[in-house]
Amino acid sequence: MHASRQQLLTTLAHKSFRLGEFKLSSGGTSDYYIDCRTTTLDAKGSRLTGEVFCEEIKQRGWKAQAIGGLTMGADPIVVAVSVVSGELNGFLVRKAEKQHGTGQRIEGFREKGARVVIVDDVCTTGSSTVQAIEAAREFGFEVVGVMCLVEREEAKGRPSVEKAAAPAPFVSIFTANDVRKEHLLQNDDTEPGIFAVAATCELCGRPAVTNNPRSRCAAHNVS
């Protein structure tokens, strides 16, 4: 796995993944929750997100002019990719048209006919991703690809997004199972200390050298 991709996975598992009992926006319940914004709004996490998405777009050969998605899960991803790429413009899709001013739903880059990539942080039912795809096409963009940071692989999210995106492909950077495995690995007390890339010491904020059983720097690490 590419270094940036592995570091991003490690950060997601450390900062964004929680085990417990949670109610989802879809109305269902789950024994885990992934809040990607604690990673995509983190300084290092944002950079890693931008690098991984840019690399994926490049490898796919999509030759997009802009990247965007439904506010607010997509917002930090859009900014990170735009900044890291230095050439991909960003746009945000409102959940509804403004009731004042210009009344537009697409904010930021607005060039009809442009090739764009739609992004989202987590895909469960896929409804937010589908909304962004539909709004982008209604505006006049050509959707060439769709990406999410984490796919939960449930609630028929992938089929819904693939149907809405077609003929553009839908790509997930990680699955929820990928993040869960990494999280369990980081918190397995039966294993030797594991270096947590991009993690910080929970006591002083300096770079951590281990996250097992706690995120600690060299000064505060105890066996």
Side-chain angles (χ1 to χ4, degrees), residues 13-116:
H14 177 66
K15 289 183 173 290
S16 299
F17 189 91
R18 296 291 181 270
L19 289 170
E21 187 174 338
F22 302 94
K23 183 175 182 179
L24 305 177
S25 60
S26 62
T29 58
S30 176
D31 67 344
Y32 71 93
Y33 184 70
I34 302 178
D35 181 2
C36 287
R37 285 164 295 191
T38 57
T39 291
T40 59
L41 288 170
D42 174 79
K44 293 181 180 178
S46 177
R47 174 179 56 79
L48 291 168
T49 298
E51 290 175 356
V52 171
F53 272 75
C54 283
E55 182 62 26
E56 189 71 33
I57 291 170
K58 181 180 179 181
Q59 289 182 354
R60 298 276 171 178
W62 285 339
K63 301 185 185 303
Q65 296 165 260
I67 185 167
L70 192 73
T71 193
M72 58 183 298
D75 296 5
I77 298 175
V78 171
V79 174
V81 174
S82 183
V83 170
V84 170
S85 71
E87 57 184 23
L88 282 171
N89 298 293
F91 66 91
L92 303 177
V93 181
R94 290 179 176 272
K95 294 181 180 179
E97 291 182 353
K98 286 197 301 183
Q99 300 303 309
H100 60 280
T102 58
Q104 60 197 29
R105 191 176 181 192
I106 302 290
E107 300 286 358
F109 179 77
R110 291 170 56 85
E111 184 178 314
K112 292 185 182 295
R115 295 167 58 88
V116 305

Side-chain angles (χ1 to χ4, degrees), residues 127-146:
S127 61
S128 61
T129 313
V130 170
Q131 288 181 59
I133 294 169
E134 293 174 344
R137 284 178 172 156
E138 182 179 349
F139 173 77
F141 287 143
E142 178 188 354
V143 177
V144 297
V146 179

